[in-house]
Amino acid sequence: MKGNRRSKTFSYVPISVWAGIIVLAGSDGCLGAQYSLAPGDTVEVSVGGAPEQRNRAQIQIDGTIALPGVGTVPVAGLTPSELQTRMETLLQSRILRQRSPDGREQALVIKPGDVITSVVEYRPIYVTGDVLTPGQLVYRASMTVRQAVAVAGGFSLLRSRGQIGAIDPADLLRDYQSLSTEYIKEYIHVIRTNAELQGNDSFDQKIPSEVSLPASVIESIMQSEAASLKTAQIDYRKERSFLEDAVRQSDAQLVTLRKQQDGEEKGVQADEDELDRVAKLFGAGSLPSPRVTESRRALLLSSTRRLQTTVEVMRLQRQRDEFLRQIERVANQRTINLLRELKDSTVRMADLRVKLQALSQKLQPVGGVGALPVGTSDLRAEVTIARKVGQQWNRIVASVDFDVEPGDVVEVSLRPSGVASASN
């Protein structure tokens, strides 16, 4: 029952529909057997069984190709199948002599089935208008307008103003993005430097609106500068804390030594008084001379200790002053370095801003849309194909999925959706 139902279903299909299906199945992409060869196409003619008999030739402006042993053959206007037939007719029954691997010479009679022809390279197509890199493109089989525009860099209002010798717009865009990245780096570095000068551990992460970069790039630069600020602040604070601790230790030692110095000063004074008393008693004959000698020795010893303590106090005082000077020097040098970085980054920012403005002028929209801002998404593409048929050029209004043919000129215009086309 199922088989009968299927056969009935197919029996209802009209013969004309079957014919259309057969034609579509037999066609070869956008060109198929209807494509006519023209100057600029490159064809290849080979003979099966004779690898050395493979000749490739470009159709000249007069519509002919030159083949060894045959001469000039007119082929322009022929379809690929007609080219095959013509080459079979020209080469059949010709005798080729070739050597076998053992060195013997063999004769090969060309039969029609031995001849193989093919189109190995088509004429280029040309894309102009609102694409990034207008110009000549290599044609590929079944190429559509969308594919041709993609090879030309995509739809774009940004392109070089010049013609001959103009810089590639892709290079301009690359330079613009590179300069934008450098500008953002310097901008964030300036903000970070100001924060470090003010002793802050964080900085404002607001980005100027006139420069557009991917969020991931900006975030990476922000994180790098934030980590650098944190490291610099920690390092400076550690160094300052170390020097301040040294000053505090010196102060504590000075307090101890000054107390010791005061005690030794009193000891020296006591020894001097004792020596005076002993000297008077010795002069009166009440004490022997050894007692005087002991008093003098005691005074000398206490004076020596006082001198040593005084020297140590002076050394510690000088060391303390050096620590204080080093704290001041570290702070001043840090400020000088940060101000130098700030100045250099500000100068570089100004230079980059000038370069960005110059590049943005080169990348301004040119064409029929006037000052349409870059990045406008409410645009529609108008495509016109200029195709030569015989000796006449025809203009075809096409969609982006229209199949192009070798030699076509694809004209692209981007217009706001509410603006009528020039043809209207």
Side-chain angles (χ1 to χ4, degrees), residues 103-227:
R104 292 181 299 171
E105 188 177 81
Q106 295 178 339
L108 174 65
V109 179
I110 301 177
K111 300 186 294 293
D114 295 332
V115 179
I116 303 172
T117 64
S118 61
V119 183
V120 294
E121 186 176 334
Y122 293 97
R123 289 166 287 157
I125 63 172
Y126 304 87
V127 181
T128 184
D130 292 328
V131 293
L132 186 61
T133 53
Q136 174 180 297
L137 303 179
V138 176
Y139 176 82
R140 301 299 182 195
S142 302
M143 178 177 273
T144 64
V145 171
R146 187 189 304 274
Q147 293 167 336
V149 169
V151 176
F155 296 112
S156 178
L157 293 169
L158 304 179
R159 57 193 187 276
S160 177
R161 291 177 177 271
Q163 298 297 325
I164 299 176
I167 301 175
D168 190 341
D171 293 337
L172 292 176
L173 283 175
R174 179 201 62 204
D175 294 342
Y176 188 87
Q177 293 296 327
S178 177
L179 289 176
S180 297
T181 303
E182 291 298 322
Y183 181 83
I184 288 296
K185 285 173 59 179
E186 296 297 339
Y187 180 86
I188 298 175
H189 185 70
V190 166
I191 298 176
R192 194 271 287 177
T193 304
N194 280 321
E196 189 174 350
L197 279 170
Q198 297 169 8
N200 299 329
D201 292 333
S202 60
F203 55 88
D204 183 14
Q205 298 191 0
K206 184 179 179 181
I207 297 300
S209 58
E210 64 268 17
V211 177
S212 176
L213 281 178
S216 59
V217 175
I218 297 176
E219 182 65 22
S220 175
I221 299 174
M222 284 286 188
Q223 291 178 355
S224 176
E225 288 291 347

Side-chain angles (χ1 to χ4, degrees), residues 48-90:
E52 69 278 4
Q53 297 298 321
R54 182 185 297 272
N55 298 291
R56 181 174 295 190
Q58 186 179 66
I59 301 177
Q60 301 303 308
I61 194 169
D62 61 355
T64 63
I65 59 173
L67 295 178
V70 177
T72 301
V73 181
V75 296
L78 301 181
T79 64
S81 60
E82 291 172 343
L83 174 66
Q84 175 73 27
T85 301
R86 176 164 295 185
M87 290 299 104
E88 289 176 350
T89 303
L90 288 174

Side-chain angles (χ1 to χ4, degrees), residues 268 271 296-306:
V268 169
D271 288 341
R296 288 176 177 171
R297 186 179 297 113
L299 177 60
L300 179 61
L301 182 60
S302 61
S303 298
T304 301
R305 286 199 302 268
R306 183 186 64 178

Side-chain angles (χ1 to χ4, degrees), residues 27 63 86 176 182 197 200 213 223 254 270 275 284 342 368 378 387 402 414:
S27 63
R86 176 164 295 185
Y176 188 87
E182 291 298 322
L197 279 170
N200 299 329
L213 281 178
Q223 291 178 355
L254 280 172
L275 179 60
L342 187 62
D378 189 19
R387 178 174 296 169
F402 186 83
L414 291 178

